[in-house]
Amino acid sequence: MPTREILRSPKTRIVLVAVLAAVVVATPALSTPGSGVTGPVLGRGVLDGKARLKIKSPTSDVVVQHLTIAPGGHTGWHSHHGPVVVVVSAGTLTLYRANDPKCRPHEFPAGTSFIDPGRGNVHIARNEGATPVELYATYLDVPVGGSFRIDAPDPGNCSF
């Protein structure tokens, strides 16, 4: 009997559905739950759009930092060796990019995230609100044992 005719049979369909249901039900039973592990979520933020990260160094550090920026505070102009994944957990972070001649602000409120591409993308992050900004930054492609931040001069396109 050809395969197409077998698959058309109601009996065969019932068997296939039963086998599929058994696999779906059995899969969680085959998983291995963890034991003795705790790990509080430090931050969570929605990332709008697609993201693609590329690491250039064959060996590099990954650095995770929790930052608090006081009202009126800022990071100073800087860049990074590689991409940085940022999650804003409190307040509103305002980001300015040196390559924007109009110095437009990009606001990231608590519960959002973004990726700084690094590699010469000079910027400054400011807290222009009345409450502290808290964020978690994960720096990728950091030179082993090296700095994850590259200070940069004020590009002169923003007047704060």
Side-chain angles (χ1 to χ4, degrees):
M1 186 180 266
T3 306
R4 286 185 189 169
E5 288 179 32
I6 292 171
L7 293 176
R8 287 185 188 155
S9 159
K11 196 178 208 179
T12 304
R13 287 183 183 171
I14 291 170
V15 170
L16 285 174
V17 168
V19 168
L20 238 125
V23 168
V24 169
V25 169
T27 300
L30 297 175
S31 66
T32 56
S35 174
V37 178
T38 59
V41 174
L42 302 177
R44 181 183 210 131
V46 175
L47 180 63
D48 287 334
K50 295 180 180 178
R52 178 178 267 176
L53 299 174
K54 185 174 182 179
I55 305 303
K56 293 185 176 183
S57 304
T59 304
S60 61
D61 281 349
V62 173
V63 177
V64 179
Q65 184 180 36
H66 173 221
L67 296 104
T68 301
I69 305 173
H74 62 83
T75 61
W77 290 97
H78 66 282
S79 183
H80 306 283
H81 294 280
V84 182
V85 178
V86 178
V87 176
V88 180
S89 58
T92 298
L93 181 74
T94 305
L95 188 72
Y96 296 90
R97 296 183 174 103
N99 65 358
D100 179 359
K102 294 184 178 180
C103 192
R104 290 174 287 225
H106 300 273
E107 291 187 343
F108 297 95
T112 62
S113 61
F114 64 94
I115 298 175
D116 168 17
R119 299 188 176 92
N121 179 44
V122 175
H123 57 279
I124 188 170
R126 298 173 51 90
N127 180 354
E128 297 176 345
T131 61
V133 168
E134 288 192 47
L135 56 96
Y136 293 89
T138 302
Y139 306 88
L140 305 172
D141 216 6
V142 176
V144 175
S147 176
F148 50 86
R149 175 191 163 102
I150 304 166
D151 288 333
D154 183 339
N157 60 332
C158 297
S159 56
F160 303 116

